[in-house]
Amino acid sequence: MSTFSSPTTHTPLNTPFLQKLSSHKKRTHSLPCACRKVTCNKDNDVEQLQLNQNTRNKSTPLSLDRRNVLIGLGGLYGATFTLGGGAVNTLAEPILPDVTACTLTDAQWDGSAGDHCCPPKFPEDRIKDFSFEDYPNPVTRVRRPAHLAMLDAEWLADYKKATALMKSLPMTDPRSFMQQARVHCAYCDGAYPVLNHPDQRLVVHGSWLFAPFHRWYLYFFERILGKLIDKPGFALPYWNWDHPDGMRIPEMFKDIDSPLYDPNRSTEHQNTVIDLSFNFKTPRDFDSEDEQIQQNLLLMRKQMLYPTKPTVFFGSPYRSGDEVDPSTGSGPGALELSPHNNIHMWTGNETIYSHQDMGSFWSAGRDSIFYCHHANVDRMWTVWRNDLPGRSRLDINDPDYLNAYFLFYDENANPVRVYVKDSFDTEKLGYKYDQQDLPWLFKTPPRPAKGTVTDTIVTFPKQLDSVIKTKVMRPKKSRTKEEKEEQEEVLFIDFEFGMSQQPIKFDVYVNDDYDHKPEEKTQVKPQFAGSFTSLTHRGGSMVAKAVKGIAGSLLGGSNKVKKGVLKLAITKLLEDIGASEDEAIQVTIVPKIGTETVVIKNVSIEFVS
Ligand code: C2O
């Protein structure tokens, strides 16, 4: 299972140059469309290489030569890192946290009762690199769906007992529940600077770091629970929100006398079917719960089956020196956008500041349900990787990804440094997911009547204050099966946004004649391509004033315009709607919430390898 994709080399451009080009940073140069694809002509090649040369020289002087060397050297690479504060490693290109310099984050100014995000300082002399030998698994931990696991009375008693013990540990213990919650806050809200880039903050959302960070985070959280009750086989439950039987808050979290209970949850969703496309403004319910369930299944099918290339599913590259906005990152993947973000919003308390606990990343780890939610996100990684029909789906094999690391405290409160490259094989990590049906998998919607593609081509930038409909030319109409296997056709929506503390959500449809209204509920139908969703985030100006330099750089300064990108895989979508032979498509962008300051910069189609 830990097979990596071998770097594809079908064109001379598919080199690290091209990988670089697909990161948002390079994309902001608004290249002419033809030059952002792999099939550039000769002149464009030259232009593209020059462009890369320029940007490369600016940010990563060693990138090309070093990378080629490192690909050959493999394992040696990881061994050369030192922790921040030690020798400076000028070769560092993976993004790494400088845990010696945990600082305040925005969480400090709000309803967090003066708490901050910094877990106990990592004692540098005790940090060890993770090895599988040091973390043996006498029993494989089997994660079960919450609604079924709770029927096992012994397991449920263990889960409650372990959680109660974790909550009763003193704050000086890094394994205590609040300290564990801080770990999420620290990594997710930019408490650590990027190693060797002191004015940039590391954030694990919105990029390819999302999946491996959360896998490691749960790995230690689960081991700590097991240790506290002296049951190394103890496994977390997963919130089976992709199955009709799991589409509500699992019962065990609702008992107010249980340590699993959190008062900071939505007041309206205690007993309703979840809306996997949830945003705050639109009506919360369909006519029937069954309709909501069908919508959820259709959404799951799209999010899981459409993206077949890893950076579209997991998220965009994020490397040392890349400056990203904490609320959008370098480009979140399908796994993170929906329904992950929507479930956070749906579960948090909509009536209180920043929708605590689940509705904001800084507070999300304070609710036990977080770990149950993320177990299913993690399971979706394994399902996407191993269980889906059709085209092969691989993990990312870029050395800057493989060699990125995080620090955690383990079940014995020892600090440990873990690498992304060790996160791929869950059974090697000592856990697996029990087999459950995937009812969304064969939920094929009927092919809709062919939509009309109007000739309106919108000129961007354009403010997203009303529905935008624009015609977009495809780089190539009609592709062979092999071409589709090789490259995913991806709709890119580049946008900017200004100061806003609101969540942001907008929906995208292809060739849809329907006259969408922002206030209507998202319609997951064949023409629906996906949504951009981000959680509540903090405005920068007030925070920047409070702690000048630090938060100023975290939030990108008070007035700075932030950039985001939404990538939607459309190869299969176009097949579903009978448009794969057309030369153009019509894209509809529907603002949903928090889009007052969103400006769409560009809408284009590119091929992604
Ligand atoms: Cu780090 Cu679901 O969030």
Side-chain angles (χ1 to χ4, degrees):
M1 164 166 173
S2 54
T3 6
F4 305 139
S5 59
S6 54
T8 43
T9 50
H10 58 285
T11 74
L13 267 179
N14 198 354
T15 62
F17 276 142
L18 193 72
Q19 293 173 9
K20 282 276 183 191
L21 194 73
S22 63
S23 83
H24 90 294
K25 198 168 162 189
K26 312 306 182 282
R27 299 186 68 260
T28 56
H29 288 268
S30 64
L31 290 165
C33 209
C35 201
R36 288 177 13 180
K37 326 187 288 268
V38 174
T39 48
C40 282
N41 66 33
K42 200 89 207 311
D43 292 345
N44 282 342
D45 286 3
V46 173
E47 199 183 317
Q48 187 172 27
L49 290 175
Q50 280 166 351
L51 175 78
N52 276 282
Q53 201 72 38
N54 292 341
T55 49
R56 182 170 63 88
N57 287 345
K58 222 171 28 189
S59 59
T60 52
L62 295 167
S63 108
L64 179 68
D65 298 340
R66 185 194 66 87
R67 192 189 304 265
N68 286 345
V69 170
L70 291 172
I71 289 169
L73 287 180
L76 256 180
Y77 184 42
T80 61
F81 290 125
T82 60
L83 185 73
V88 173
N89 183 349
T90 50
L91 291 181
E93 263 225 282
I95 190 137
L96 307 171
D98 179 358
V99 295
T100 61
C102 189
T103 47
L104 309 174
T105 73
D106 50 2
Q108 202 128 16
W109 288 273
D110 47 41
S112 61
D115 192 33
H116 58 75
C117 289
C118 298
K121 212 172 161 109
F122 288 95
E124 279 191 66
D125 51 332
R126 282 177 45 219
I127 297 171
K128 279 181 82 176
D129 273 344
F130 174 86
S131 75
F132 288 99
E133 298 71 57
D134 288 348
Y135 292 87
N137 304 292
V139 199
T140 299
R141 303 184 293 284
V142 183
R143 296 184 184 169
R144 293 176 291 174
H147 65 278
L148 297 179
M150 64 176 281
L151 306 174
D152 174 348
E154 186 188 334
W155 172 86
L156 184 58
D158 283 347
Y159 188 23
K160 288 191 197 167
K161 184 174 165 204
T163 304
L165 286 169
M166 202 186 219
K167 288 189 167 174
S168 69
L169 290 174
M171 275 303 269
T172 48
D173 192 324
R175 301 168 305 172
S176 65
F177 190 78
M178 272 306 276
Q179 291 293 6
Q180 288 293 305
R182 281 182 176 177
V183 170
H184 187 254
C185 183
Y187 279 105
C188 297
D189 247 347
Y192 297 127
V194 174
L195 191 61
N196 302 328
H197 294 268
D199 53 353
Q200 284 169 13
R201 322 298 297 178
L202 181 120
V203 286
V204 295
H205 289 126
S207 76
W208 66 13
L209 293 187
F210 172 76
F213 168 82
H214 290 86
R215 174 166 286 179
W216 279 120
Y217 180 43
L218 257 63
Y219 172 83
F220 290 111
F221 188 85
E222 180 174 70
R223 292 182 75 100
I224 294 168
L225 288 174
K227 172 85 186 183
L228 291 171
I229 51 171
D230 200 18
K231 288 196 177 175
F234 174 81
L236 283 168
Y238 62 85
W239 184 355
N240 202 180
W241 33 250
D242 61 305
H243 190 290
D245 294 347
M247 290 182 186
R248 294 170 192 271
I249 293 184
E251 285 301 320
M252 69 177 97
F253 295 100
K254 290 170 25 185
D255 167 7
I256 55 171
D257 297 321
S258 164
L260 300 169
Y261 180 74
D262 179 9
N264 285 347
R265 284 199 200 124
S266 166
T267 54
E268 296 181 4
H269 300 148
Q270 291 302 310
N271 296 303
T272 60
V273 167
I274 195 166
D275 174 1
L276 296 185
S277 303
F278 179 74
N279 64 77
F280 294 95
K281 259 191 190 162
T282 48
R284 287 182 176 82
D285 293 303
F286 281 104
D287 292 346
S288 72
E289 290 200 330
D290 187 60
E291 211 176 326
Q292 180 66 69
I293 290 171
Q294 299 312 315
Q295 286 280 302
N296 290 343
L297 293 175
L298 282 170
L299 181 85
M300 285 311 302
R301 174 182 178 273
K302 281 176 185 280
Q303 294 301 101
M304 295 296 287
L305 276 185
Y306 284 6
T308 56
K309 295 301 171 202
T311 52
V312 184
F313 185 70
F314 296 113
S316 297
Y318 178 30
R319 308 173 202 274
S320 183
D322 286 352
E323 195 173 349
V324 301
D325 182 83
S327 49
T328 56
S330 59
L335 177 68
E336 174 173 1
L337 282 170
S338 311
H340 161 261
N341 279 347
N342 310 75
I343 294 170
H344 271 281
M345 292 200 252
W346 185 86
T347 312
N349 186 337
E350 61 289 275
T351 69
I352 60 172
Y353 180 78
S354 82
H355 314 126
Q356 296 171 57
D357 283 326
M358 279 284 277
S360 279
F361 290 137
W362 68 266
S363 54
R366 299 173 179 194
D367 188 339
S368 289
I369 209 171
F370 172 96
Y371 306 90
C372 189
H373 171 35
H374 268 274
N376 206 36
V377 174
D378 188 69
R379 173 173 163 260
M380 289 302 126
W381 174 359
T382 67
V383 167
W384 185 84
R385 183 72 180 73
N386 304 315
D387 303 335
L388 298 183
R391 285 173 271 168
S392 59
R393 293 161 173 85
L394 301 169
D395 283 313
I396 296 169
N397 74 336
D398 185 305
D400 291 342
Y401 180 68
L402 304 177
N403 293 300
Y405 66 64
F406 313 103
L407 277 98
F408 290 99
Y409 285 99
D410 69 11
E411 66 272 25
N412 296 311
N414 288 322
V416 55
R417 182 191 289 114
V418 296
Y419 290 85
V420 167
K421 62 174 172 247
D422 288 328
S423 69
F424 299 122
D425 188 341
T426 68
E427 299 207 18
K428 218 172 154 193
L429 290 167
Y431 73 92
K432 63 178 185 184
Y433 292 97
D434 70 341
Q435 287 291 328
Q436 288 294 325
D437 311 342
L438 303 171
W440 41 266
L441 189 52
F442 301 104
K443 193 141 180 67
T444 316
R447 180 177 287 193
K450 212 160 170 53
T452 34
V453 177
T454 60
D455 265 332
T456 337
I457 299 185
V458 171
T459 343
F460 295 105
K462 186 171 176 10
Q463 187 136 13
L464 187 56
D465 48 7
S466 57
V467 176
I468 296 178
K469 259 187 205 290
T470 187
K471 176 175 168 181
V472 182
M473 299 306 293
R474 294 175 63 210
K476 190 169 183 199
K477 64 173 203 176
S478 177
R479 295 197 297 149
T480 63
K481 216 169 158 251
E482 291 68 40
E483 285 172 319
K484 288 180 179 178
E485 167 91 26
E486 190 75 40
Q487 295 185 326
E488 181 77 74
E489 186 163 354
V490 177
L491 181 64
F492 279 84
I493 299 183
D494 293 277
F495 61 98
E496 289 181 349
F497 60 104
M499 284 342 269
S500 161
Q501 298 191 11
Q502 280 202 76
I504 297 175
K505 182 168 185 280
F506 55 86
D507 295 340
V508 181
Y509 298 83
V510 172
N511 290 3
D512 192 10
D513 286 338
Y514 182 78
D515 185 16
H516 286 275
K517 308 265 184 318
E519 63 279 9
E520 285 172 350
K521 200 158 166 101
T522 298
Q523 298 176 33
V524 188
K525 54 182 180 177
Q527 299 93 330
F528 176 70
S531 306
F532 181 86
T533 308
S534 77
L535 301 195
T536 308
H537 50 275
R538 297 296 312 274
S541 49
M542 148 178 112
V543 182
K545 250 183 248 150
V547 234
K548 293 152 218 126
I550 298 169
S553 63
L554 161 64
L555 295 160
S558 51
N559 298 312
K560 213 163 148 191
V561 172
K562 299 137 179 293
K563 289 186 197 320
V565 59
L566 171 62
K567 297 165 299 181
L568 300 168
I570 55 168
T571 308
K572 178 130 183 62
L573 170 91
L574 296 183
E575 285 172 1
D576 279 0
I577 62 172
S580 27
E581 304 293 315
D582 298 353
E583 61 177 21
I585 57 171
Q586 177 174 273
V587 173
T588 306
I589 308 174
V590 186
K592 285 295 177 188
I593 186 170
T595 55
E596 295 75 12
T597 68
V598 172
V599 174
I600 304 294
K601 298 287 288 183
N602 194 29
V603 180
S604 62
I605 298 174
E606 298 173 28
F607 293 127
V608 171
S609 294

Short mmCIF file of all heavy atoms in Angstrom, two decimals, residues 184 188 204-205 210 213-214 340-341 344 361 364 370 373-374, ligand 1:
data_model
loop_
_atom_site.label_atom_id
_atom_site.label_comp_id
_atom_site.label_asym_id
_atom_site.label_seq_id
_atom_site.Cartn_x
_atom_site.Cartn_y
_atom_site.Cartn_z
N HIS A 184 -3.80 21.04 17.90
CA HIS A 184 -4.52 21.36 16.66
C HIS A 184 -4.52 22.87 16.42
O HIS A 184 -4.24 23.34 15.31
CB HIS A 184 -5.95 20.84 16.73
CG HIS A 184 -6.68 20.99 15.43
ND1 HIS A 184 -7.64 21.94 15.22
CD2 HIS A 184 -6.54 20.33 14.25
CE1 HIS A 184 -8.07 21.84 13.97
NE2 HIS A 184 -7.43 20.88 13.36
N CYS A 188 -2.90 24.55 13.23
CA CYS A 188 -3.94 24.97 12.31
C CYS A 188 -4.13 26.48 12.29
O CYS A 188 -4.76 27.02 11.41
CB CYS A 188 -5.25 24.28 12.66
SG CYS A 188 -5.07 22.51 12.46
N VAL A 204 -1.55 24.00 8.57
CA VAL A 204 -1.69 22.69 7.93
C VAL A 204 -3.01 22.52 7.16
O VAL A 204 -3.24 21.49 6.57
CB VAL A 204 -1.55 21.52 8.94
CG1 VAL A 204 -0.16 21.48 9.51
CG2 VAL A 204 -2.60 21.61 10.02
N HIS A 205 -3.84 23.55 7.19
CA HIS A 205 -5.04 23.46 6.35
C HIS A 205 -4.79 24.09 5.00
O HIS A 205 -3.90 24.91 4.85
CB HIS A 205 -6.23 24.16 7.03
CG HIS A 205 -6.71 23.41 8.22
ND1 HIS A 205 -6.84 23.98 9.46
CD2 HIS A 205 -7.07 22.12 8.37
CE1 HIS A 205 -7.26 23.07 10.32
NE2 HIS A 205 -7.40 21.92 9.68
N PHE A 210 -2.74 18.72 4.82
CA PHE A 210 -3.97 18.46 5.56
C PHE A 210 -4.11 16.98 5.97
O PHE A 210 -4.30 16.66 7.15
CB PHE A 210 -5.18 18.90 4.72
CG PHE A 210 -6.50 18.51 5.29
CD1 PHE A 210 -7.05 19.20 6.36
CD2 PHE A 210 -7.23 17.44 4.76
CE1 PHE A 210 -8.28 18.84 6.90
CE2 PHE A 210 -8.45 17.08 5.29
CZ PHE A 210 -8.97 17.77 6.37
N PHE A 213 -1.08 15.50 8.31
CA PHE A 213 -1.05 16.09 9.66
C PHE A 213 -2.13 15.47 10.53
O PHE A 213 -1.90 15.04 11.65
CB PHE A 213 -1.24 17.62 9.64
CG PHE A 213 -1.51 18.14 11.03
CD1 PHE A 213 -0.45 18.37 11.90
CD2 PHE A 213 -2.80 18.32 11.51
CE1 PHE A 213 -0.69 18.77 13.22
CE2 PHE A 213 -3.05 18.70 12.81
CZ PHE A 213 -1.99 18.93 13.67
N HIS A 214 -3.36 15.45 10.00
CA HIS A 214 -4.46 14.96 10.83
C HIS A 214 -4.33 13.45 11.09
O HIS A 214 -4.77 12.97 12.13
CB HIS A 214 -5.81 15.33 10.21
CG HIS A 214 -6.08 16.81 10.29
ND1 HIS A 214 -5.64 17.70 9.33
CD2 HIS A 214 -6.71 17.56 11.24
CE1 HIS A 214 -6.00 18.93 9.69
NE2 HIS A 214 -6.65 18.88 10.84
N HIS A 340 -15.67 17.93 4.65
CA HIS A 340 -14.95 18.17 5.91
C HIS A 340 -15.26 19.54 6.52
O HIS A 340 -15.65 19.65 7.68
CB HIS A 340 -13.44 18.00 5.72
CG HIS A 340 -12.62 18.65 6.78
ND1 HIS A 340 -12.04 19.89 6.63
CD2 HIS A 340 -12.35 18.28 8.06
CE1 HIS A 340 -11.42 20.23 7.75
NE2 HIS A 340 -11.58 19.27 8.63
N ASN A 341 -15.08 20.60 5.71
CA ASN A 341 -15.30 21.95 6.25
C ASN A 341 -16.77 22.17 6.62
O ASN A 341 -17.07 22.80 7.65
CB ASN A 341 -14.88 23.01 5.24
CG ASN A 341 -13.38 23.24 5.24
OD1 ASN A 341 -12.66 22.80 6.14
ND2 ASN A 341 -12.88 23.91 4.22
N HIS A 344 -17.64 20.73 9.96
CA HIS A 344 -17.18 21.61 11.05
C HIS A 344 -18.22 22.70 11.32
O HIS A 344 -18.63 22.94 12.45
CB HIS A 344 -15.85 22.27 10.69
CG HIS A 344 -14.66 21.45 11.09
ND1 HIS A 344 -14.19 21.41 12.38
CD2 HIS A 344 -13.85 20.63 10.39
CE1 HIS A 344 -13.14 20.61 12.46
NE2 HIS A 344 -12.90 20.12 11.26
N PHE A 361 -11.13 26.39 13.57
CA PHE A 361 -10.04 25.44 13.77
C PHE A 361 -9.34 25.61 15.12
O PHE A 361 -8.89 24.65 15.71
CB PHE A 361 -9.03 25.54 12.63
CG PHE A 361 -9.58 25.01 11.33
CD1 PHE A 361 -9.35 25.68 10.14
CD2 PHE A 361 -10.32 23.84 11.30
CE1 PHE A 361 -9.87 25.19 8.95
CE2 PHE A 361 -10.84 23.34 10.11
CZ PHE A 361 -10.60 24.03 8.92
N ALA A 364 -11.67 23.67 17.56
CA ALA A 364 -12.29 22.40 17.15
C ALA A 364 -11.82 21.21 17.99
O ALA A 364 -12.61 20.33 18.32
CB ALA A 364 -12.03 22.14 15.67
N PHE A 370 -14.62 15.93 17.30
CA PHE A 370 -13.61 16.28 16.30
C PHE A 370 -12.84 15.04 15.85
O PHE A 370 -12.60 14.81 14.65
CB PHE A 370 -12.63 17.31 16.88
CG PHE A 370 -11.44 17.60 15.99
CD1 PHE A 370 -11.44 18.69 15.12
CD2 PHE A 370 -10.31 16.79 16.01
CE1 PHE A 370 -10.35 18.94 14.30
CE2 PHE A 370 -9.23 17.04 15.19
CZ PHE A 370 -9.25 18.12 14.33
N HIS A 373 -14.94 12.74 13.80
CA HIS A 373 -15.10 13.32 12.46
C HIS A 373 -13.83 13.06 11.63
O HIS A 373 -13.89 12.57 10.50
CB HIS A 373 -15.36 14.83 12.61
CG HIS A 373 -15.32 15.62 11.35
ND1 HIS A 373 -15.77 15.14 10.13
CD2 HIS A 373 -14.88 16.90 11.10
CE1 HIS A 373 -15.61 16.09 9.20
NE2 HIS A 373 -15.06 17.15 9.76
N HIS A 374 -12.69 13.35 12.22
CA HIS A 374 -11.45 13.20 11.46
C HIS A 374 -11.07 11.75 11.20
O HIS A 374 -10.34 11.46 10.26
CB HIS A 374 -10.31 13.99 12.09
CG HIS A 374 -10.24 15.36 11.49
ND1 HIS A 374 -9.56 15.63 10.33
CD2 HIS A 374 -10.86 16.51 11.85
CE1 HIS A 374 -9.74 16.89 10.00
NE2 HIS A 374 -10.53 17.46 10.90
CU1 C2O B 1 -7.52 20.69 11.37
CU2 C2O B 1 -11.06 19.36 10.63
O1 C2O B 1 -9.45 20.32 11.03
#
